[in-house]
Amino acid sequence: VVLLDLRLGTASGLDLLPKLHELAPDLPVVLMTAYATISSAVEAMRRGARDRRREQAQQLRQTVHGWAYLRC
């Protein structure tokens, strides 16, 4: 599981997302941001994100554990 921020300094997590999927197509990626917009969510899904979530730390932890469990 990769936890990826939408804003990476001058780069964008959206640009890194397809590259991660090229390297590992089944890799679950959680794209996180404090600057969510509908257009960024749509673009993330278009570029390979599996799901869009708005979560607090505990919910995020459960999501990551769930994906890790499914991959075992």
Side-chain angles (χ1 to χ4, degrees):
V1 176
V2 172
L3 303 177
L4 180 62
D5 200 335
L6 181 64
R7 293 190 177 182
L8 303 170
T10 59
S12 169
L14 287 175
D15 294 332
L16 185 57
L17 187 59
K19 294 173 185 174
L20 288 170
H21 283 290
E22 284 177 24
L23 294 171
D26 294 328
L27 181 67
V29 177
V30 177
L31 188 63
M32 304 178 297
T33 185
Y35 307 98
T37 64
I38 292 173
S39 63
S40 66
V42 169
E43 186 63 18
M45 297 296 280
R46 191 180 75 73
R47 294 190 189 198
R50 293 188 184 179
D51 199 354
R52 178 191 62 82
R53 295 176 185 260
R54 211 172 165 192
E55 299 180 344
Q56 300 298 325
Q58 180 61 30
Q59 293 168 315
L60 179 58
R61 200 173 299 118
Q62 290 172 345
T63 298
V64 169
H65 283 289
W67 282 339
Y69 177 78
L70 289 174
R71 292 187 53 86
C72 294

